[in-house]
Amino acid sequence: QSCRRLAGPRASPEPGSGGLPKGLPEGVEYIPTRKKGKNPMKPVGVAWYSLYARTRLGYLFYQRQVKKARERYPHGHSVPQLCCFSGVKILPIPVLSNNYSYLVIDTGSGRAAVIDPSDPLAVQAAIEEEGVMLEAILCTHKHWDHSGGNAALRQRHSSCKVYGSALDAIPELTNPLADREKVSVGCLTFEALATPGHTVGHMVYVLDGGPFGSPPCLFSGDLLFLAGCGELFEGSPETMLTSLDVAVGLGEDTLLWPGHEYALECLTFASLLELDNSALEQKLRWATQQRQEKRSTCPSTLGEEQTYNPFLRTHRPELQAALGLRQGGGEHPDAFRARVLKEVRRRKDLYKAT
């Protein structure tokens, strides 16, 4: 693996929609406009999420996000790292105030795919600078901060296809994907994995690194972040636990490319749960330095994440003890882990809202 820092921020800053199941699960978080909700589980949070995900109001809010982010971060919110392997290039594009889109290039053919193009101008600028042909948009889920650029990019690249789950109302979707279905772009092969929880149709994409002598690359959207996981807008703790287990099953050397720059917040929260975790302390010090310099914290590895990410440590006695939880008599281990995950998510939602 060869990674180098870009000389400067790559893209302009920036920034889901569709049918919403009845009865949102416990743990739904308020999506703020200017002020954070005092309690993310209040009914106003459910109402706002419904408006954001089901109506044109969500798109208008997204447009406002894009406009403000372009003004605030004219060169992107972070300095990303360009990662190159033999035959493939992965270019993180910082968009909105904390999102990442990813341009993945088959360097042999000049064909490319983009994951979650939040801001079409930032993505188009990267496409033009790299001189590549956009063949595919891989959308992890319907939320506007991940799918808002689909229409503009398709208009500009008429042969480009939009992939994603049919269970999410993804804008401009042309090629619905089933679990474990594969997408080829030049010599690149991505496998789509169904990972519901954040939304009912959330998917992640795994780039097969074998042909390039690289580890697998997981583009996780809002399933998994560095030291964190997505909010349970449309799923239960049991559903999210199953989805996280799917990710962990990819192997410890898998590179994690998340949909947001949440590392510092998530690591700080995690440090409040596990006070004697040396791996966590070390990662927090590193992330603090990175963010002071406005540098990206991506990628991580799934092996690393299992040493400090509380959402991947629901099986660890030290975390269970820190939460004051004990497995009940006759309680299935996975049911207990889901209960641990629910409590971690509850505390994280309250932490974020304060």
Side-chain angles (χ1 to χ4, degrees):
Q1 175 185 354
S2 171
C3 291
R4 65 178 176 83
R5 288 176 180 166
L6 295 179
R10 176 85 181 193
S12 307
E14 337 353 351
S17 142
L20 186 65
K22 293 181 179 179
L24 281 172
E26 212 173 335
V28 166
E29 181 178 356
Y30 170 64
I31 300 178
T33 48
R34 296 191 178 185
K35 297 181 180 179
K36 293 180 179 178
K38 293 181 180 178
N39 185 336
M41 272 73 80
K42 281 186 177 180
V44 67
V46 177
W48 171 245
Y49 179 75
S50 181
L51 290 171
Y52 176 78
R54 298 180 65 184
T55 72
R56 183 168 173 77
L57 179 63
Y59 181 68
L60 295 175
F61 176 68
Y62 152 75
Q63 287 185 313
R64 181 172 177 269
Q65 282 183 299
V66 174
K67 181 177 182 295
K68 292 185 69 174
R70 287 173 180 168
E71 293 171 352
R72 184 175 181 182
Y73 306 107
H75 302 294
H77 60 72
S78 301
V79 180
Q81 288 188 336
L82 172 67
C83 279
C84 300
F85 304 102
S86 178
V88 64
K89 182 187 290 187
I90 300 173
L91 174 61
I93 306 172
V95 291
L96 277 183
S97 60
N98 54 41
N99 282 71
Y100 286 110
S101 300
Y102 295 97
L103 187 65
V104 186
I105 303 168
D106 170 18
T107 56
S109 66
R111 299 176 180 179
V114 65
I115 293 93
D116 289 353
S118 305
D119 184 340
L121 292 186
V123 172
Q124 182 60 32
I127 291 170
E128 291 177 1
E129 185 170 340
E130 294 294 329
V132 297
M133 179 172 63
L134 183 65
E135 285 201 349
I137 294 172
L138 305 179
C139 217
T140 61
H141 62 293
K142 62 192 176 184
H143 292 159
W144 290 110
D145 63 324
H146 293 259
S147 65
N150 291 3
L153 287 172
R154 273 212 77 215
Q155 187 173 14
R156 185 147 192 162
H157 305 270
S158 58
S159 62
C160 178
K161 297 176 180 178
V162 179
Y163 297 86
S165 172
L167 298 178
D168 265 19
I170 292 174
E172 301 292 321
L173 182 67
T174 61
N175 292 66
L177 293 172
D179 184 34
R180 301 196 179 276
E181 193 168 350
K182 294 184 178 180
V183 177
S184 295
V185 177
C187 293
L188 309 175
T189 300
F190 297 88
E191 183 177 17
L193 300 177
T195 51
H198 185 67
T199 67
V200 293
H202 193 286
M203 283 188 144
V204 299
Y205 298 94
V206 183
L207 174 65
D208 180 8
F212 314 105
S214 76
C217 292
L218 170 61
F219 299 94
S220 61
D222 282 0
L223 168 69
L224 186 63
F225 310 124
L226 196 151
C229 87
E231 295 151 37
L232 279 62
F233 287 125
E234 300 178 14
S236 65
E238 291 78 10
T239 299
M240 180 60 86
L241 179 64
T242 299
S243 295
L244 291 171
D245 284 347
V246 167
V248 169
L250 296 172
E252 292 189 354
D253 65 335
T254 301
L255 296 179
L256 172 65
W257 300 94
H260 290 270
E261 180 57 71
Y262 288 160
L264 194 54
E265 177 187 305
C266 289
L267 286 164
T268 302
F269 167 74
S271 70
L272 301 177
L273 299 180
E274 292 194 65
L275 303 180
D276 299 316
N277 186 326
S278 59
L280 174 56
E281 292 173 3
Q282 182 178 353
K283 192 70 175 183
L284 178 55
R285 286 195 298 270
W286 174 83
T288 300
Q289 182 64 35
Q290 287 290 104
R291 296 313 298 153
Q292 285 176 348
E293 299 173 2
K294 301 300 182 184
R295 297 193 178 278
S296 171
T297 58
C298 307
S300 177
T301 70
L302 292 182
E304 265 193 283
E305 290 302 308
Q306 291 174 72
T307 67
Y308 53 67
N309 188 328
F311 296 98
L312 300 185
R313 293 170 60 78
T314 54
H315 62 295
R316 301 292 299 186
E318 53 268 45
L319 178 62
Q320 297 164 2
L323 297 171
L325 296 177
R326 297 179 63 183
Q327 186 172 353
E331 185 177 20
H332 191 280
D334 285 345
F336 179 49
R337 289 178 59 216
R339 190 154 59 87
V340 174
L341 178 65
K342 180 180 179 180
E343 177 61 16
V344 176
R345 182 69 260 175
R346 185 188 72 82
R347 295 191 185 199
K348 178 63 173 66
D349 289 338
L350 293 173
Y351 172 82
K352 184 175 181 179
T354 57

PDB file of all heavy atoms in Angstrom, residues 229-241:
ATOM      1  N   CYS A 229     -20.744   4.104  14.968  1.00  0.00           N
ATOM      2  CA  CYS A 229     -21.637   3.454  14.010  1.00  0.00           C
ATOM      3  C   CYS A 229     -22.815   4.398  13.750  1.00  0.00           C
ATOM      4  O   CYS A 229     -23.013   5.385  14.459  1.00  0.00           O
ATOM      5  CB  CYS A 229     -22.121   2.089  14.500  1.00  0.00           C
ATOM      6  SG  CYS A 229     -23.593   2.092  15.545  1.00  0.00           S
ATOM      7  N   GLY A 230     -23.594   4.086  12.729  1.00  0.00           N
ATOM      8  CA  GLY A 230     -24.709   4.942  12.353  1.00  0.00           C
ATOM      9  C   GLY A 230     -25.863   4.879  13.343  1.00  0.00           C
ATOM     10  O   GLY A 230     -26.010   3.915  14.097  1.00  0.00           O
ATOM     11  N   GLU A 231     -26.679   5.902  13.318  1.00  0.00           N
ATOM     12  CA  GLU A 231     -27.844   5.953  14.194  1.00  0.00           C
ATOM     13  C   GLU A 231     -28.936   5.020  13.686  1.00  0.00           C
ATOM     14  O   GLU A 231     -29.045   4.745  12.503  1.00  0.00           O
ATOM     15  CB  GLU A 231     -28.348   7.394  14.289  1.00  0.00           C
ATOM     16  CG  GLU A 231     -27.334   8.293  14.969  1.00  0.00           C
ATOM     17  CD  GLU A 231     -27.426   9.735  14.495  1.00  0.00           C
ATOM     18  OE1 GLU A 231     -28.557  10.192  14.262  1.00  0.00           O
ATOM     19  OE2 GLU A 231     -26.378  10.365  14.330  1.00  0.00           O
ATOM     20  N   LEU A 232     -29.757   4.549  14.600  1.00  0.00           N
ATOM     21  CA  LEU A 232     -30.771   3.561  14.270  1.00  0.00           C
ATOM     22  C   LEU A 232     -32.076   4.243  13.858  1.00  0.00           C
ATOM     23  O   LEU A 232     -33.096   4.149  14.538  1.00  0.00           O
ATOM     24  CB  LEU A 232     -31.005   2.622  15.457  1.00  0.00           C
ATOM     25  CG  LEU A 232     -30.000   1.477  15.634  1.00  0.00           C
ATOM     26  CD1 LEU A 232     -28.599   1.997  15.882  1.00  0.00           C
ATOM     27  CD2 LEU A 232     -30.419   0.576  16.780  1.00  0.00           C
ATOM     28  N   PHE A 233     -32.050   4.906  12.716  1.00  0.00           N
ATOM     29  CA  PHE A 233     -33.241   5.603  12.250  1.00  0.00           C
ATOM     30  C   PHE A 233     -34.349   4.624  11.867  1.00  0.00           C
ATOM     31  O   PHE A 233     -35.515   4.870  12.120  1.00  0.00           O
ATOM     32  CB  PHE A 233     -32.914   6.465  11.028  1.00  0.00           C
ATOM     33  CG  PHE A 233     -32.125   7.700  11.350  1.00  0.00           C
ATOM     34  CD1 PHE A 233     -30.925   7.948  10.717  1.00  0.00           C
ATOM     35  CD2 PHE A 233     -32.576   8.613  12.280  1.00  0.00           C
ATOM     36  CE1 PHE A 233     -30.192   9.091  10.993  1.00  0.00           C
ATOM     37  CE2 PHE A 233     -31.861   9.760  12.572  1.00  0.00           C
ATOM     38  CZ  PHE A 233     -30.660   9.997  11.930  1.00  0.00           C
ATOM     39  N   GLU A 234     -34.000   3.541  11.228  1.00  0.00           N
ATOM     40  CA  GLU A 234     -35.014   2.637  10.680  1.00  0.00           C
ATOM     41  C   GLU A 234     -34.703   1.175  10.987  1.00  0.00           C
ATOM     42  O   GLU A 234     -34.957   0.290  10.176  1.00  0.00           O
ATOM     43  CB  GLU A 234     -35.120   2.840   9.161  1.00  0.00           C
ATOM     44  CG  GLU A 234     -35.510   4.251   8.767  1.00  0.00           C
ATOM     45  CD  GLU A 234     -35.550   4.448   7.258  1.00  0.00           C
ATOM     46  OE1 GLU A 234     -35.538   3.451   6.513  1.00  0.00           O
ATOM     47  OE2 GLU A 234     -35.593   5.619   6.820  1.00  0.00           O
ATOM     48  N   GLY A 235     -34.147   0.920  12.142  1.00  0.00           N
ATOM     49  CA  GLY A 235     -33.808  -0.449  12.487  1.00  0.00           C
ATOM     50  C   GLY A 235     -33.667  -0.635  13.981  1.00  0.00           C
ATOM     51  O   GLY A 235     -33.572   0.331  14.737  1.00  0.00           O
ATOM     52  N   SER A 236     -33.622  -1.871  14.399  1.00  0.00           N
ATOM     53  CA  SER A 236     -33.490  -2.217  15.819  1.00  0.00           C
ATOM     54  C   SER A 236     -32.027  -2.470  16.159  1.00  0.00           C
ATOM     55  O   SER A 236     -31.189  -2.666  15.271  1.00  0.00           O
ATOM     56  CB  SER A 236     -34.299  -3.479  16.105  1.00  0.00           C
ATOM     57  OG  SER A 236     -33.730  -4.585  15.399  1.00  0.00           O
ATOM     58  N   PRO A 237     -31.696  -2.515  17.446  1.00  0.00           N
ATOM     59  CA  PRO A 237     -30.329  -2.880  17.827  1.00  0.00           C
ATOM     60  C   PRO A 237     -29.941  -4.258  17.299  1.00  0.00           C
ATOM     61  O   PRO A 237     -28.793  -4.469  16.917  1.00  0.00           O
ATOM     62  CB  PRO A 237     -30.375  -2.861  19.360  1.00  0.00           C
ATOM     63  CG  PRO A 237     -31.465  -1.882  19.685  1.00  0.00           C
ATOM     64  CD  PRO A 237     -32.493  -2.079  18.613  1.00  0.00           C
ATOM     65  N   GLU A 238     -30.899  -5.178  17.266  1.00  0.00           N
ATOM     66  CA  GLU A 238     -30.612  -6.515  16.758  1.00  0.00           C
ATOM     67  C   GLU A 238     -30.230  -6.461  15.279  1.00  0.00           C
ATOM     68  O   GLU A 238     -29.293  -7.139  14.835  1.00  0.00           O
ATOM     69  CB  GLU A 238     -31.829  -7.428  16.955  1.00  0.00           C
ATOM     70  CG  GLU A 238     -32.144  -7.780  18.398  1.00  0.00           C
ATOM     71  CD  GLU A 238     -32.846  -6.666  19.167  1.00  0.00           C
ATOM     72  OE1 GLU A 238     -33.279  -5.669  18.537  1.00  0.00           O
ATOM     73  OE2 GLU A 238     -32.964  -6.780  20.395  1.00  0.00           O
ATOM     74  N   THR A 239     -30.961  -5.649  14.514  1.00  0.00           N
ATOM     75  CA  THR A 239     -30.667  -5.509  13.087  1.00  0.00           C
ATOM     76  C   THR A 239     -29.291  -4.891  12.868  1.00  0.00           C
ATOM     77  O   THR A 239     -28.500  -5.360  12.047  1.00  0.00           O
ATOM     78  CB  THR A 239     -31.742  -4.648  12.408  1.00  0.00           C
ATOM     79  OG1 THR A 239     -33.012  -5.275  12.555  1.00  0.00           O
ATOM     80  CG2 THR A 239     -31.445  -4.463  10.927  1.00  0.00           C
ATOM     81  N   MET A 240     -28.992  -3.833  13.616  1.00  0.00           N
ATOM     82  CA  MET A 240     -27.702  -3.168  13.467  1.00  0.00           C
ATOM     83  C   MET A 240     -26.559  -4.083  13.888  1.00  0.00           C
ATOM     84  O   MET A 240     -25.494  -4.113  13.241  1.00  0.00           O
ATOM     85  CB  MET A 240     -27.675  -1.874  14.278  1.00  0.00           C
ATOM     86  CG  MET A 240     -26.362  -1.109  14.183  1.00  0.00           C
ATOM     87  SD  MET A 240     -25.943  -0.609  12.494  1.00  0.00           S
ATOM     88  CE  MET A 240     -26.835   0.954  12.379  1.00  0.00           C
ATOM     89  N   LEU A 241     -26.764  -4.864  14.932  1.00  0.00           N
ATOM     90  CA  LEU A 241     -25.729  -5.795  15.386  1.00  0.00           C
ATOM     91  C   LEU A 241     -25.401  -6.802  14.282  1.00  0.00           C
ATOM     92  O   LEU A 241     -24.225  -7.083  14.009  1.00  0.00           O
ATOM     93  CB  LEU A 241     -26.184  -6.526  16.647  1.00  0.00           C
ATOM     94  CG  LEU A 241     -25.206  -7.560  17.214  1.00  0.00           C
ATOM     95  CD1 LEU A 241     -23.917  -6.889  17.676  1.00  0.00           C
ATOM     96  CD2 LEU A 241     -25.845  -8.339  18.360  1.00  0.00           C
TER      97      LEU A 241
END
